[in-house]
Amino acid sequence: MANILAIVGRPNVGKSTLFNRLVEKKQAIMDNESGVTRDRHYGYGEWNGKKFTVIDTGGYVEGSDDIFEGAIRTQVKEALEEATAILFMVDCDTGLHGLDQDFANVVRELKKPIFLVANKADNQEKHLAANEFYNLGMDADLFPIAAASGTGTGDLLDEVVKEFDDEELQKDDVPRIAILGRPNVGKSSFVNALVGKERSIVTDIAGTTRDAINTRYNLFGKDFILTDTAGIRRKTKVKENIEFYSVLRALQALQDSDVCIVMIDADTGLESQDMNIIGLAHKYKKGIVLMVNKWDLQEKDSKTADTYRKFLEEKLGPMSYIPVIFTSVLNKQRIMQTLELALQVFENRSRKISTSKLNEIMGKEIEHYPPPAVRGHYIKIKYITQLPTHTPTFAYFCNFPQYIKEPYHRYLTNRMREHFDFRGVPIKMVFRKK
C-alpha cells in the first residue's frame, strides 16, 4: 500500500470519529468508554483527487500492565512504521495530558510528516485553548478541528495530501474471505498464524476482537482479503453497546464477503448459534467452509474424523454441501489447506456452465426421473440455462413451473452437485414458463 495516513494518540481523543469521517462511513466502533479500538483498522479516503489508506489505532498508554494496552502499543507501533504521514491527535476538552507528553516522545523519533490535530475544538474558546499543545515541543503544524462535525478537517486534509503521491490506489476487487464464529474459538489466532505476525490482538478473554479487521494476503500468487471478525453470540447474551456494534460489524463483514470460513470449537461442536451464522451465510448465497478448530485436543482413532463429519452433516441437513476441515491453529495444522479450500469454494461460486453441457447432462437425469404429474398435468422441462448472476443460479424452462414441488427441486439440486463441483456453494434454481 502507498499513501498511508495513521491516526494515533492516547485513548478517547476521537481517533475513530475522525477515521469514520475520512473514510465516509461508520466503519470503526465509537463509544465514550476508553479503549474501544484495539486492533489496527484500515479504510480508504480521497481528497483533492488523491486517494489514500487511513489507519485507525487504539489509544496509546505508556507503561501500563493492562493486557490490552500492552498489545495496543504494539499495534500502534506497527501503524507508525507503515505510515506515510501521521495525525497525532490530542483533546481540547481535557487539555494537555501526561499521556500526550509520553506519546510525543515516541512520535518525535520518527522521520515522517507529523500533523498535530487538536480535536473537539468546536467553539472559539476551545480553538484558542488548543495553543497549549505547542508545549509538546513537536516540530509539527497544529490543526484545531471538530471530528464529529467536520470543522477544520478540510484545512487539515489540504496539507496532509501534499505529502502523498498521485499514484492510483488499488481497489479491493479481490476475493474477500470472512472468518466468523462464536467468541474465543480461535479466529484471530488463525489470522495471526497465516500472516506470521500479530495482526489481531489475541487473549483468552472472550470479546477481544471488536471491529472487523481486514488483512490483504497472498497465497500461491493469488491475492485476497481476510477479515477477522468479533465473536457472534446470541442477542440475549449481548449486554454492552460495544459488543452489539461488534456483532453488527461481523454481520456486515459476512454480507460483504465472497466466502465465509465458519470456525467452531471441536469440544463444543456445532451449536445453535453456529447454525444461525451458517444459515445467514447460506441465505446471502456466500461460499461456506466449516473449520473445526482445536482438533489436537480430541482423543482420536482412525474413525474419529469420519464419525465427526457424519455427525456434522446430519446437523447441517440441507446445507451438508459445506466442506468440513479439521484444524489446530495452535499447532498450525491444516491452516493453509483451509485457505486453499476457501479459494476453491470461491472458484466454485464463480463457475459458469455452458447451456449445451447443462442440457446434455441434466436432460438425462430429468428423462430418468421426470417431474411427477400434478392434477393430470404432465410437466415437461424444455431446457436449462445458467443465469448471469454472481452466484450459481439456474433457470429451468417448463410448461407448468408452478407445479414443481420441493422434493423434485431437491432431486435436481443433488444431481447438479453430483455432476458439477459446487462444493461449499448454495445453488439457486428458478422455474419459468416456456
Side-chain angles (χ1 to χ4, degrees):
M1 291 182 290
N3 297 351
I4 299 174
L5 181 64
I7 306 173
V8 296
R10 65 179 176 83
N12 232 26
V13 292
K15 297 183 293 298
S16 294
T17 307
L18 180 60
F19 174 86
N20 287 344
R21 179 159 292 281
L22 296 186
V23 302
E24 298 183 57
K25 59 171 105 166
K26 288 188 178 178
Q27 200 169 317
I29 298 172
M30 301 180 299
D31 195 86
N32 290 329
E33 182 187 319
S34 175
V36 172
T37 305
R38 290 172 175 169
D39 302 279
R40 302 194 310 284
H41 197 49
Y42 293 78
Y44 297 102
E46 183 176 355
W47 189 257
N48 290 347
K50 286 191 178 178
K51 297 177 182 179
F52 52 94
T53 301
V54 191
I55 312 178
D56 183 23
T57 63
Y60 191 96
V61 179
E62 192 67 70
S64 167
D65 294 330
D66 182 275
I67 186 170
F68 289 118
E69 287 176 350
I72 287 168
R73 283 197 295 274
T74 305
Q75 294 283 330
V76 173
K77 285 174 180 173
E78 292 262 3
L80 291 173
E81 281 179 28
E82 289 180 304
T84 311
I86 295 159
L87 301 186
F88 176 14
M89 282 192 81
V90 289
D91 181 348
C92 290
D93 266 354
T94 54
L96 189 57
H97 195 285
L99 291 174
D100 296 327
Q101 298 274 16
D102 294 338
F103 191 49
N105 295 331
V106 176
V107 178
R108 199 179 284 114
E109 295 173 6
L110 300 167
K111 304 294 182 215
K112 293 182 178 182
I114 298 166
F115 300 85
L116 187 57
V117 181
N119 190 27
K120 306 178 188 176
D122 36 23
N123 57 43
Q124 192 60 33
E125 187 183 336
K126 287 181 182 175
H127 207 278
L128 291 170
N131 290 318
E132 73 169 310
F133 294 109
Y134 282 119
N135 290 325
L136 287 169
M138 299 291 300
D139 182 19
D141 291 330
L142 177 68
F143 292 87
I145 70 160
S149 64
T151 304
T153 53
D155 294 337
L156 169 64
L157 286 172
D158 284 343
E159 295 304 311
V160 169
V161 296
K162 290 177 184 176
E163 305 294 337
F164 294 151
D165 298 327
D166 289 323
E167 58 190 77
E168 187 71 18
L169 187 73
Q170 285 187 332
K171 285 291 178 186
D172 291 335
D173 53 351
V174 294
R176 302 182 78 96
I177 300 173
I179 300 145
L180 301 148
R182 286 177 286 112
N184 245 26
V185 292
K187 299 182 295 298
S188 297
S189 298
F190 177 49
V191 173
N192 290 346
L194 288 169
V195 299
K197 59 182 177 181
E198 191 158 306
R199 177 62 188 90
S200 301
I201 295 171
V202 175
T203 72
D204 291 332
I205 301 164
T208 297
T209 304
R210 287 173 166 174
D211 283 300
I213 310 299
N214 291 325
T215 306
R216 200 163 185 129
Y217 192 79
N218 188 287
L219 178 70
F220 309 132
K222 292 180 181 175
D223 231 7
F224 53 93
I225 291 170
L226 281 174
T227 307
D228 180 20
T229 65
I232 302 173
R233 297 198 295 169
R234 289 200 305 273
K235 277 186 185 175
T236 51
K237 301 257 184 166
V238 176
K239 304 295 182 194
E240 298 176 3
N241 282 344
I242 292 168
E243 188 179 351
F244 171 75
Y245 291 118
S246 295
V247 171
L248 282 187
R249 297 297 190 276
L251 295 176
Q252 186 62 53
L254 183 154
Q255 291 183 45
D256 292 342
S257 69
D258 298 301
V259 177
C260 298
I261 296 176
V262 180
M263 190 184 286
I264 66 170
D265 188 318
D267 263 346
T268 54
L270 204 55
E271 296 193 339
S272 58
Q273 187 61 3
D274 300 312
M275 290 299 295
N276 290 338
I277 297 168
I278 292 167
L280 271 177
H282 175 84
K283 176 186 172 185
Y284 288 118
K285 300 288 182 284
K286 305 299 178 184
I288 310 168
V289 172
L290 187 56
M291 179 178 176
V292 183
N293 191 29
K294 307 181 186 178
W295 189 242
D296 54 313
L297 302 178
Q298 299 297 301
E299 289 184 19
K300 296 181 280 292
D301 59 31
S302 59
K303 294 181 181 176
T304 308
D306 286 340
T307 306
Y308 203 105
R309 186 178 274 106
K310 283 176 187 169
F311 162 74
L312 292 176
E313 285 174 357
E314 283 174 15
K315 285 204 80 171
L316 288 167
M319 295 181 289
S320 58
Y321 62 82
I322 299 169
V324 178
I325 187 162
F326 299 98
T327 67
S328 166
V329 170
L330 189 66
N331 297 336
K332 298 189 177 178
Q333 185 181 13
R334 286 188 283 276
I335 60 170
M336 299 309 286
Q337 287 96 315
T338 304
L339 266 192
E340 287 177 49
L341 185 56
L343 288 174
Q344 181 59 56
V345 167
F346 174 76
E347 286 179 20
N348 294 350
R349 189 170 180 256
S350 314
R351 178 164 283 113
K352 303 296 178 196
I353 302 165
S354 68
T355 301
S356 58
K357 194 172 182 182
L358 266 176
N359 284 278
E360 180 193 341
I361 292 172
M362 291 305 294
K364 290 176 183 173
E365 295 291 354
I366 293 165
E367 198 178 307
H368 174 69
Y369 175 43
V374 177
R375 297 175 190 167
H377 296 293
Y378 289 93
I379 302 162
K380 192 171 174 81
I381 295 173
K382 308 288 176 65
Y383 74 97
I384 314 146
T385 189
Q386 185 170 1
L387 299 180
T389 54
H390 288 300
T391 56
T393 306
F394 301 93
Y396 285 74
F397 290 89
C398 54
N399 52 352
F400 295 108
Q402 69 274 28
Y403 292 138
I404 293 184
K405 304 296 182 189
E406 187 59 32
Y408 196 73
H409 193 288
R410 281 199 303 273
Y411 165 77
L412 291 176
T413 304
N414 293 337
R415 296 294 81 76
M416 188 79 78
R417 289 192 182 282
E418 274 179 22
H419 292 290
F420 308 105
D421 189 2
F422 286 114
R423 194 167 51 136
V425 183
I427 296 175
K428 185 179 179 183
M429 293 192 183
V430 292
F431 296 90
R432 292 181 175 171
K433 178 87 173 170
K434 174 66 177 172

